[in-house]
PDB file of all heavy atoms in Angstrom:
ATOM      1  N   ILE A1084      20.017 -35.509   0.376  1.00  0.00           N
ATOM      2  CA  ILE A1084      19.745 -36.751  -0.360  1.00  0.00           C
ATOM      3  C   ILE A1084      20.345 -37.782   0.501  1.00  0.00           C
ATOM      4  O   ILE A1084      21.043 -37.594   1.456  1.00  0.00           O
ATOM      5  CB  ILE A1084      20.449 -36.653  -1.712  1.00  0.00           C
ATOM      6  CG1 ILE A1084      21.957 -36.523  -1.627  1.00  0.00           C
ATOM      7  CG2 ILE A1084      19.852 -35.512  -2.597  1.00  0.00           C
ATOM      8  CD1 ILE A1084      22.673 -36.744  -2.997  1.00  0.00           C
ATOM      9  N   ARG A1085      19.945 -39.119   0.068  1.00  0.00           N
ATOM     10  CA  ARG A1085      20.413 -40.168   0.850  1.00  0.00           C
ATOM     11  C   ARG A1085      20.743 -41.350  -0.066  1.00  0.00           C
ATOM     12  O   ARG A1085      20.016 -41.615  -1.009  1.00  0.00           O
ATOM     13  CB  ARG A1085      19.335 -40.677   1.860  1.00  0.00           C
ATOM     14  CG  ARG A1085      19.881 -41.680   2.877  1.00  0.00           C
ATOM     15  CD  ARG A1085      18.827 -42.184   3.757  1.00  0.00           C
ATOM     16  NE  ARG A1085      19.302 -43.061   4.830  1.00  0.00           N
ATOM     17  CZ  ARG A1085      18.601 -43.713   5.783  1.00  0.00           C
ATOM     18  NH1 ARG A1085      17.275 -43.463   5.791  1.00  0.00           N
ATOM     19  NH2 ARG A1085      19.194 -44.472   6.734  1.00  0.00           N
ATOM     20  N   MET A1086      21.899 -41.911   0.176  1.00  0.00           N
ATOM     21  CA  MET A1086      22.371 -43.043  -0.533  1.00  0.00           C
ATOM     22  C   MET A1086      22.283 -44.360   0.385  1.00  0.00           C
ATOM     23  O   MET A1086      22.262 -44.223   1.586  1.00  0.00           O
ATOM     24  CB  MET A1086      23.846 -42.865  -1.024  1.00  0.00           C
ATOM     25  CG  MET A1086      24.796 -42.787   0.072  1.00  0.00           C
ATOM     26  SD  MET A1086      26.545 -42.670  -0.565  1.00  0.00           S
ATOM     27  CE  MET A1086      26.795 -44.371  -1.088  1.00  0.00           C
ATOM     28  N   ALA A1087      22.228 -45.464  -0.231  1.00  0.00           N
ATOM     29  CA  ALA A1087      22.162 -46.610   0.499  1.00  0.00           C
ATOM     30  C   ALA A1087      23.617 -47.007   1.100  1.00  0.00           C
ATOM     31  O   ALA A1087      24.562 -46.716   0.466  1.00  0.00           O
ATOM     32  CB  ALA A1087      21.668 -47.867  -0.265  1.00  0.00           C
ATOM     33  N   GLY A1088      23.615 -47.482   2.270  1.00  0.00           N
ATOM     34  CA  GLY A1088      24.961 -47.836   2.936  1.00  0.00           C
ATOM     35  C   GLY A1088      24.896 -47.659   4.385  1.00  0.00           C
ATOM     36  O   GLY A1088      23.989 -47.130   5.071  1.00  0.00           O
ATOM     37  N   SER A1089      25.947 -48.166   4.967  1.00  0.00           N
ATOM     38  CA  SER A1089      26.106 -48.093   6.453  1.00  0.00           C
ATOM     39  C   SER A1089      27.600 -47.952   6.753  1.00  0.00           C
ATOM     40  O   SER A1089      28.490 -48.277   5.975  1.00  0.00           O
ATOM     41  CB  SER A1089      25.516 -49.343   7.172  1.00  0.00           C
ATOM     42  OG  SER A1089      26.196 -50.509   6.692  1.00  0.00           O
ATOM     43  N   ASN A1090      27.915 -47.436   7.903  1.00  0.00           N
ATOM     44  CA  ASN A1090      29.306 -47.128   8.391  1.00  0.00           C
ATOM     45  C   ASN A1090      30.082 -46.365   7.269  1.00  0.00           C
ATOM     46  O   ASN A1090      31.279 -46.611   7.087  1.00  0.00           O
ATOM     47  CB  ASN A1090      29.930 -48.492   8.663  1.00  0.00           C
ATOM     48  CG  ASN A1090      29.292 -49.248   9.812  1.00  0.00           C
ATOM     49  OD1 ASN A1090      28.858 -48.681  10.735  1.00  0.00           O
ATOM     50  ND2 ASN A1090      29.207 -50.546   9.597  1.00  0.00           N
ATOM     51  N   LEU A1091      29.358 -45.468   6.657  1.00  0.00           N
ATOM     52  CA  LEU A1091      30.102 -44.598   5.711  1.00  0.00           C
ATOM     53  C   LEU A1091      30.886 -43.500   6.376  1.00  0.00           C
ATOM     54  O   LEU A1091      30.555 -43.068   7.470  1.00  0.00           O
ATOM     55  CB  LEU A1091      28.991 -43.988   4.725  1.00  0.00           C
ATOM     56  CG  LEU A1091      28.213 -44.930   3.841  1.00  0.00           C
ATOM     57  CD1 LEU A1091      27.093 -44.161   3.124  1.00  0.00           C
ATOM     58  CD2 LEU A1091      29.058 -45.645   2.834  1.00  0.00           C
ATOM     59  N   ALA A1092      31.959 -43.065   5.763  1.00  0.00           N
ATOM     60  CA  ALA A1092      32.719 -41.984   6.277  1.00  0.00           C
ATOM     61  C   ALA A1092      31.923 -40.688   6.302  1.00  0.00           C
ATOM     62  O   ALA A1092      31.166 -40.438   5.293  1.00  0.00           O
ATOM     63  CB  ALA A1092      34.036 -41.782   5.428  1.00  0.00           C
ATOM     64  N   ALA A1093      31.881 -40.015   7.412  1.00  0.00           N
ATOM     65  CA  ALA A1093      31.075 -38.787   7.556  1.00  0.00           C
ATOM     66  C   ALA A1093      31.972 -37.652   8.048  1.00  0.00           C
ATOM     67  O   ALA A1093      32.907 -37.889   8.713  1.00  0.00           O
ATOM     68  CB  ALA A1093      29.873 -38.996   8.597  1.00  0.00           C
ATOM     69  N   VAL A1094      31.567 -36.355   7.656  1.00  0.00           N
ATOM     70  CA  VAL A1094      32.319 -35.259   8.166  1.00  0.00           C
ATOM     71  C   VAL A1094      31.970 -34.921   9.564  1.00  0.00           C
ATOM     72  O   VAL A1094      31.019 -35.243  10.143  1.00  0.00           O
ATOM     73  CB  VAL A1094      32.037 -34.022   7.202  1.00  0.00           C
ATOM     74  CG1 VAL A1094      32.289 -34.331   5.672  1.00  0.00           C
ATOM     75  CG2 VAL A1094      30.568 -33.668   7.299  1.00  0.00           C
ATOM     76  N   SER A1095      32.874 -34.057  10.038  1.00  0.00           N
ATOM     77  CA  SER A1095      32.556 -33.444  11.406  1.00  0.00           C
ATOM     78  C   SER A1095      32.154 -32.006  11.146  1.00  0.00           C
ATOM     79  O   SER A1095      32.738 -31.195  10.359  1.00  0.00           O
ATOM     80  CB  SER A1095      33.847 -33.347  12.309  1.00  0.00           C
ATOM     81  OG  SER A1095      33.675 -32.613  13.428  1.00  0.00           O
ATOM     82  N   LEU A1096      30.942 -31.625  11.670  1.00  0.00           N
ATOM     83  CA  LEU A1096      30.371 -30.267  11.448  1.00  0.00           C
ATOM     84  C   LEU A1096      30.919 -29.295  12.495  1.00  0.00           C
ATOM     85  O   LEU A1096      30.871 -29.564  13.722  1.00  0.00           O
ATOM     86  CB  LEU A1096      28.915 -30.363  11.509  1.00  0.00           C
ATOM     87  CG  LEU A1096      28.196 -31.314  10.409  1.00  0.00           C
ATOM     88  CD1 LEU A1096      26.677 -31.247  10.622  1.00  0.00           C
ATOM     89  CD2 LEU A1096      28.655 -30.922   8.990  1.00  0.00           C
ATOM     90  N   GLY A1097      31.375 -28.162  11.978  1.00  0.00           N
ATOM     91  CA  GLY A1097      31.862 -27.125  12.922  1.00  0.00           C
ATOM     92  C   GLY A1097      30.823 -26.090  13.386  1.00  0.00           C
ATOM     93  O   GLY A1097      29.636 -26.386  13.276  1.00  0.00           O
ATOM     94  N   ASP A1098      31.265 -25.067  13.857  1.00  0.00           N
ATOM     95  CA  ASP A1098      30.380 -23.987  14.304  1.00  0.00           C
ATOM     96  C   ASP A1098      30.670 -22.658  13.627  1.00  0.00           C
ATOM     97  O   ASP A1098      31.767 -22.101  13.798  1.00  0.00           O
ATOM     98  CB  ASP A1098      30.549 -23.761  15.834  1.00  0.00           C
ATOM     99  CG  ASP A1098      29.681 -22.680  16.511  1.00  0.00           C
ATOM    100  OD1 ASP A1098      28.874 -22.014  15.642  1.00  0.00           O
ATOM    101  OD2 ASP A1098      29.726 -22.408  17.607  1.00  0.00           O
ATOM    102  N   SER A1099      29.816 -22.228  12.643  1.00  0.00           N
ATOM    103  CA  SER A1099      30.069 -21.071  11.884  1.00  0.00           C
ATOM    104  C   SER A1099      30.209 -19.792  12.657  1.00  0.00           C
ATOM    105  O   SER A1099      30.689 -18.752  12.209  1.00  0.00           O
ATOM    106  CB  SER A1099      29.074 -20.886  10.700  1.00  0.00           C
ATOM    107  OG  SER A1099      27.780 -20.957  11.229  1.00  0.00           O
ATOM    108  N   ARG A1100      29.665 -19.768  13.879  1.00  0.00           N
ATOM    109  CA  ARG A1100      29.787 -18.573  14.761  1.00  0.00           C
ATOM    110  C   ARG A1100      31.191 -18.321  15.174  1.00  0.00           C
ATOM    111  O   ARG A1100      31.603 -17.271  15.574  1.00  0.00           O
ATOM    112  CB  ARG A1100      28.890 -18.649  16.040  1.00  0.00           C
ATOM    113  CG  ARG A1100      27.341 -18.656  15.786  1.00  0.00           C
ATOM    114  CD  ARG A1100      26.625 -19.025  16.940  1.00  0.00           C
ATOM    115  NE  ARG A1100      26.926 -20.304  17.547  1.00  0.00           N
ATOM    116  CZ  ARG A1100      26.399 -20.814  18.621  1.00  0.00           C
ATOM    117  NH1 ARG A1100      25.506 -20.078  19.287  1.00  0.00           N
ATOM    118  NH2 ARG A1100      26.766 -21.994  19.142  1.00  0.00           N
ATOM    119  N   ALA A1101      32.034 -19.386  15.055  1.00  0.00           N
ATOM    120  CA  ALA A1101      33.500 -19.240  15.510  1.00  0.00           C
ATOM    121  C   ALA A1101      34.399 -18.811  14.307  1.00  0.00           C
ATOM    122  O   ALA A1101      35.564 -18.658  14.541  1.00  0.00           O
ATOM    123  CB  ALA A1101      33.898 -20.560  16.110  1.00  0.00           C
ATOM    124  N   ILE A1102      33.803 -18.640  13.122  1.00  0.00           N
ATOM    125  CA  ILE A1102      34.601 -18.230  12.028  1.00  0.00           C
ATOM    126  C   ILE A1102      35.124 -16.817  12.204  1.00  0.00           C
ATOM    127  O   ILE A1102      34.389 -15.982  12.665  1.00  0.00           O
ATOM    128  CB  ILE A1102      33.798 -18.310  10.740  1.00  0.00           C
ATOM    129  CG1 ILE A1102      33.292 -19.775  10.540  1.00  0.00           C
ATOM    130  CG2 ILE A1102      34.681 -18.022   9.514  1.00  0.00           C
ATOM    131  CD1 ILE A1102      32.419 -19.975   9.367  1.00  0.00           C
ATOM    132  N   ARG A1103      36.404 -16.547  11.770  1.00  0.00           N
ATOM    133  CA  ARG A1103      36.947 -15.247  11.848  1.00  0.00           C
ATOM    134  C   ARG A1103      37.582 -15.017  10.398  1.00  0.00           C
ATOM    135  O   ARG A1103      38.106 -15.803   9.790  1.00  0.00           O
ATOM    136  CB  ARG A1103      38.045 -15.198  12.833  1.00  0.00           C
ATOM    137  CG  ARG A1103      37.627 -15.332  14.308  1.00  0.00           C
ATOM    138  CD  ARG A1103      36.746 -14.300  14.744  1.00  0.00           C
ATOM    139  NE  ARG A1103      36.213 -14.437  16.066  1.00  0.00           N
ATOM    140  CZ  ARG A1103      34.981 -15.044  16.431  1.00  0.00           C
ATOM    141  NH1 ARG A1103      34.251 -15.508  15.385  1.00  0.00           N
ATOM    142  NH2 ARG A1103      34.570 -15.100  17.654  1.00  0.00           N
ATOM    143  N   VAL A1104      37.433 -13.654  10.035  1.00  0.00           N
ATOM    144  CA  VAL A1104      38.045 -13.293   8.748  1.00  0.00           C
ATOM    145  C   VAL A1104      39.459 -13.509   8.885  1.00  0.00           C
ATOM    146  O   VAL A1104      40.166 -13.131   9.809  1.00  0.00           O
ATOM    147  CB  VAL A1104      37.641 -11.747   8.486  1.00  0.00           C
ATOM    148  CG1 VAL A1104      38.398 -11.231   7.308  1.00  0.00           C
ATOM    149  CG2 VAL A1104      36.108 -11.619   8.412  1.00  0.00           C
ATOM    150  N   GLY A1105      40.017 -14.009   7.801  1.00  0.00           N
ATOM    151  CA  GLY A1105      41.466 -14.234   7.558  1.00  0.00           C
ATOM    152  C   GLY A1105      41.866 -15.639   7.921  1.00  0.00           C
ATOM    153  O   GLY A1105      42.898 -16.090   7.597  1.00  0.00           O
ATOM    154  N   GLN A1106      40.950 -16.546   8.507  1.00  0.00           N
ATOM    155  CA  GLN A1106      41.355 -17.842   8.845  1.00  0.00           C
ATOM    156  C   GLN A1106      41.361 -18.794   7.600  1.00  0.00           C
ATOM    157  O   GLN A1106      40.680 -18.421   6.519  1.00  0.00           O
ATOM    158  CB  GLN A1106      40.467 -18.483   9.927  1.00  0.00           C
ATOM    159  CG  GLN A1106      39.121 -18.913   9.350  1.00  0.00           C
ATOM    160  CD  GLN A1106      38.211 -19.584  10.390  1.00  0.00           C
ATOM    161  OE1 GLN A1106      37.771 -18.928  11.378  1.00  0.00           O
ATOM    162  NE2 GLN A1106      37.966 -20.930  10.164  1.00  0.00           N
ATOM    163  N   LEU A1107      42.047 -19.841   7.594  1.00  0.00           N
ATOM    164  CA  LEU A1107      42.187 -20.690   6.556  1.00  0.00           C
ATOM    165  C   LEU A1107      40.852 -21.296   6.121  1.00  0.00           C
ATOM    166  O   LEU A1107      40.017 -21.684   6.996  1.00  0.00           O
ATOM    167  CB  LEU A1107      43.134 -21.934   6.787  1.00  0.00           C
ATOM    168  CG  LEU A1107      43.358 -22.971   5.823  1.00  0.00           C
ATOM    169  CD1 LEU A1107      44.083 -22.391   4.593  1.00  0.00           C
ATOM    170  CD2 LEU A1107      44.116 -24.166   6.466  1.00  0.00           C
ATOM    171  N   ALA A1108      40.533 -21.454   4.882  1.00  0.00           N
ATOM    172  CA  ALA A1108      39.385 -22.149   4.334  1.00  0.00           C
ATOM    173  C   ALA A1108      39.755 -22.969   3.236  1.00  0.00           C
ATOM    174  O   ALA A1108      40.464 -22.640   2.302  1.00  0.00           O
ATOM    175  CB  ALA A1108      38.358 -21.011   3.839  1.00  0.00           C
ATOM    176  N   VAL A1109      39.313 -24.292   3.333  1.00  0.00           N
ATOM    177  CA  VAL A1109      39.679 -25.251   2.323  1.00  0.00           C
ATOM    178  C   VAL A1109      38.382 -25.780   1.662  1.00  0.00           C
ATOM    179  O   VAL A1109      37.391 -26.165   2.327  1.00  0.00           O
ATOM    180  CB  VAL A1109      40.337 -26.493   3.008  1.00  0.00           C
ATOM    181  CG1 VAL A1109      40.723 -27.554   1.829  1.00  0.00           C
ATOM    182  CG2 VAL A1109      41.691 -26.060   3.632  1.00  0.00           C
ATOM    183  N   ALA A1110      38.340 -25.632   0.324  1.00  0.00           N
ATOM    184  CA  ALA A1110      37.172 -26.166  -0.444  1.00  0.00           C
ATOM    185  C   ALA A1110      37.441 -27.470  -1.033  1.00  0.00           C
ATOM    186  O   ALA A1110      38.491 -27.663  -1.718  1.00  0.00           O
ATOM    187  CB  ALA A1110      36.702 -25.115  -1.477  1.00  0.00           C
ATOM    188  N   ILE A1111      36.491 -28.367  -0.919  1.00  0.00           N
ATOM    189  CA  ILE A1111      36.715 -29.719  -1.518  1.00  0.00           C
ATOM    190  C   ILE A1111      35.456 -30.006  -2.312  1.00  0.00           C
ATOM    191  O   ILE A1111      34.372 -29.827  -1.982  1.00  0.00           O
ATOM    192  CB  ILE A1111      36.812 -30.813  -0.419  1.00  0.00           C
ATOM    193  CG1 ILE A1111      37.913 -30.428   0.552  1.00  0.00           C
ATOM    194  CG2 ILE A1111      37.144 -32.157  -1.095  1.00  0.00           C
ATOM    195  CD1 ILE A1111      38.071 -31.401   1.644  1.00  0.00           C
TER     196      ILE A1111
END
């Protein structure tokens, strides 16, 4: 979806191939 705005805070996307079982995961 898209909201109106500019210069909004945006996340940094990781690489799910680098995920390992047991590593920390934070849900927001």
Side-chain angles (χ1 to χ4, degrees):
I1084 62 175
R1085 189 180 187 184
M1086 62 176 291
S1089 60
N1090 298 319
L1091 298 170
V1094 299
S1095 174
L1096 302 181
D1098 182 358
S1099 51
R1100 292 175 300 180
I1102 301 173
R1103 296 294 180 265
V1104 173
Q1106 77 174 66
L1107 177 68
V1109 178
I1111 306 174

